[in-house]
Amino acid sequence: MHLAATNTDLWHQLFGDQAEPPAAIVLVTAAAALFIVFVDGLWRPARNVITIVHEAGHALTAVLAGRRLSGIRLHSDTSGLTLSRGKPSGPGMVMTAFAGYPAPSVLGLLFAGLLAADKLAVLLTVCALLVLGSLVMIRNGYGILLLVVAGAVLFGISWFASDQVQAGFGYLITWLLLLGGLRPLGELQRKRRRGRARDSDADQLARLTGAPALFWIFVCGLIGLGCLGVSAVWLLV
């Protein structure tokens, strides 16, 4: 009986509806995320979050496409690399190369849907699974350190923070994914104009498909803007 009651309480805690936070939290966290994305000194450390999700997007898509995942590397300059084995061309490789840049925006859309449905605990659980899943596949020391720190922060917020702090974190990470998922596309195109980043995801897609790299940047941008627009309606209206 005690075990059954405990399981029921855990299920309710994870999947039951949480109290809707004050509207001020939604607006303040949106403004804070926008500030973080536009201020270079804040964006650089925050960009690590975007990189983790970017590389996780590559990794998950590679597995779903039937490729063999070799590992993920996260670097101190906020770049990352996901290696997989399989055919060097074809739909699976195209899907894997494409998945990185839209991943933060798509995850932000998922989080916005969870927040709109008052499922903050599920959002925190997804964050924990993302960190743990990425940690298993990390193949360099900096990447391990980065994910251990991220996991420690997440653990502290999930277990020791008040409901309002947890809600603030949930909304902040959601806005950061939605807004921060767009800035790397602009950064990439600026690098490409200077003749750099010729091995970027967009350039790999250009070689794989024949469509120009700028087309793929534009498509990723449209996806990101679409996710931001839908999420804003869910969270603000």
Side-chain angles (χ1 to χ4, degrees):
M1 288 292 290
H2 179 69
L3 179 60
T6 301
N7 289 337
T8 300
D9 291 342
L10 179 61
W11 180 267
H12 179 74
Q13 183 178 356
L14 286 176
F15 298 104
D17 293 345
Q18 280 80 45
E20 186 172 341
I25 288 182
V26 184
L27 296 174
V28 168
T29 53
L34 191 64
F35 187 70
I36 290 169
V37 169
F38 276 97
V39 175
D40 289 340
L42 298 174
W43 168 243
R44 183 175 175 82
R47 197 184 193 282
N48 285 295
V49 175
I50 304 300
T51 301
I52 291 170
V53 179
H54 178 113
E55 300 305 329
H58 283 310
L60 177 60
T61 306
V63 172
L64 293 176
R67 299 179 62 81
R68 295 184 61 188
L69 186 61
S70 300
I72 299 171
R73 300 178 70 88
L74 302 172
H75 304 132
S76 58
D77 63 355
T78 73
S79 66
L81 178 66
T82 298
L83 298 174
S84 62
R85 294 194 297 271
K87 289 181 60 177
S89 60
M93 187 62 200
V94 171
M95 290 167 57
T96 300
F98 177 73
Y101 278 103
S105 296
V106 172
L107 184 61
L109 178 67
L110 171 63
F111 282 2
L114 291 173
L115 291 172
D118 299 325
K119 304 296 183 183
L120 175 61
V122 179
L123 183 154
L124 296 174
T125 301
V126 173
C127 286
L129 292 174
L130 172 65
V131 171
L132 288 174
S134 298
L135 186 59
V136 169
M137 295 308 303
I138 285 293
R139 296 295 182 265
N140 69 318
Y142 178 80
I144 292 173
L145 175 62
L146 182 62
L147 286 168
V148 167
V149 170
V153 171
L154 182 61
F155 176 80
I157 290 173
S158 300
W159 285 92
F160 302 112
S162 65
D163 291 345
Q164 285 201 344
V165 171
Q166 290 183 0
F169 173 81
Y171 278 94
L172 180 62
I173 197 68
T174 299
W175 287 120
L176 183 61
L177 289 169
L178 292 165
L179 295 166
L182 292 169
R183 177 166 172 171
L185 294 169
E187 294 173 341
L188 172 59
Q189 184 54 25
R190 285 194 296 273
K191 288 181 180 179
R192 295 187 68 259
R193 282 203 301 266
R194 301 185 188 117
R196 299 161 57 193
R198 293 304 181 185
D199 288 325
S200 70
D201 295 349
D203 290 279
Q204 291 183 48
L205 286 165
R207 290 190 288 269
L208 288 166
T209 65
L214 187 59
F215 166 80
W216 293 107
I217 294 173
F218 179 73
V219 170
C220 291
L222 282 181
I223 293 172
L225 288 172
C227 290
L228 176 60
V230 173
S231 298
V233 171
W234 287 347
L235 298 179
L236 297 173
V237 176

